[in-house]
């Protein structure tokens, strides 16, 4: 992810890429496969910035979501999780959620494009995104 693009998004809306925002963004980038919650981001960032409050992390994640820098996900576990939003090419992936350990795995394969095209061809609905979650058991829990 190009930091200059994010800096430009922030500046366009009148925000700065402060040290705290940069640290939160770096945490999300460095842990992009983890789908971190606000608390998890906070616990990682506070190691380097102990004065940073959880409210700042929460507000920053809200701002990043508003500016389409991150995407908020709900895996039905009671907390919101965040992943980088790198534009429309990123909307076509799905998640496998283990019902035992809670591990979340991304699936890049998307077989729903034809379905989206069929729905839109009827002219009644324009699709801008979709999100599919599969629930089951990961290979470790299945043993």
């Amino acid at each position: 992810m190009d930091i200059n693009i994010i800096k430009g998004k922030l500046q366009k809306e009148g925000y700065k890429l402060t040290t705290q925002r940069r640290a939160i963004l770096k945490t999300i980038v460095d842990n992009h496969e983890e789908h971190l919650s606000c608390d998890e981001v906070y616990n990682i960032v506070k190691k380097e910035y102990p004065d940073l409050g959880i409210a700042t992390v929460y507000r920053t994640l809200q701002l990043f979501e508003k500016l389409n820098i991150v995407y908020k996900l709900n895996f039905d576990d009671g907390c919101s999780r965040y992943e980088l939003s790198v534009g429309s090419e990123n909307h076509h992936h799905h998640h496998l959620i283990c019902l035992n350990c809670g591990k979340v795995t991304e699936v890049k394969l998307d077989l729903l494009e034809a379905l989206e095209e069929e729905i839109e061809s009827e002219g009644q609905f324009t699709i801008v995104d979709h999100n599919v979650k599969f629930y089951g058991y990961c290979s470790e829990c299945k043993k």
Side-chain angles (χ1 to χ4, degrees):
M1 162 130 321
D2 187 353
I3 198 79
N4 290 321
I5 292 172
I6 293 170
K7 191 174 180 179
K9 281 184 177 187
L10 288 165
Q11 287 176 338
K12 182 179 175 189
E13 297 296 324
Y15 299 99
K16 292 184 175 165
L17 185 58
T18 63
T19 303
Q20 294 93 338
R21 289 177 182 152
R22 187 181 296 270
I24 292 165
L25 180 63
K26 182 180 182 318
T27 298
I28 293 169
V29 169
D30 290 350
N31 298 279
H32 68 276
E33 292 187 6
E34 298 298 317
H35 301 91
L36 298 176
S37 68
C38 182
D39 287 341
E40 291 167 332
V41 171
Y42 170 70
N43 288 328
I44 293 169
V45 174
K46 78 174 183 178
K47 291 174 187 170
E48 191 172 343
Y49 299 94
D51 294 339
L52 185 77
I54 192 157
T56 300
V57 174
Y58 181 74
R59 284 191 307 270
T60 299
L61 290 172
Q62 281 186 316
L63 174 65
F64 285 175
E65 182 186 11
K66 175 182 157 190
L67 299 178
N68 200 30
I69 295 167
V70 298
Y71 183 71
K72 184 164 46 171
L73 300 162
N74 178 352
F75 294 132
D76 302 324
D77 62 355
C79 79
S80 296
R81 301 181 179 279
Y82 297 87
E83 70 179 9
L84 287 173
S85 176
V86 291
S88 60
E89 72 272 12
N90 198 39
H91 95 130
H92 293 305
H93 73 265
H94 310 299
H95 299 93
L96 307 176
I97 303 163
C98 181
L99 293 168
N100 188 51
C101 69
K103 178 180 172 184
V104 177
T105 307
E106 287 185 6
V107 178
K108 301 290 184 193
L109 177 66
D110 185 14
L111 302 174
L112 296 178
E113 288 181 22
L115 179 60
E116 280 187 7
E117 289 172 13
E118 183 69 27
I119 291 168
E120 288 190 342
S121 73
E122 294 175 3
Q124 301 295 315
F125 197 78
T126 301
I127 298 170
V128 296
D129 199 358
H130 70 260
N131 185 355
V132 177
K133 297 178 261 187
F134 295 95
Y135 297 91
Y137 299 95
C138 69
S139 57
E140 289 85 33
C141 293
K142 176 166 80 163
K143 292 178 184 173

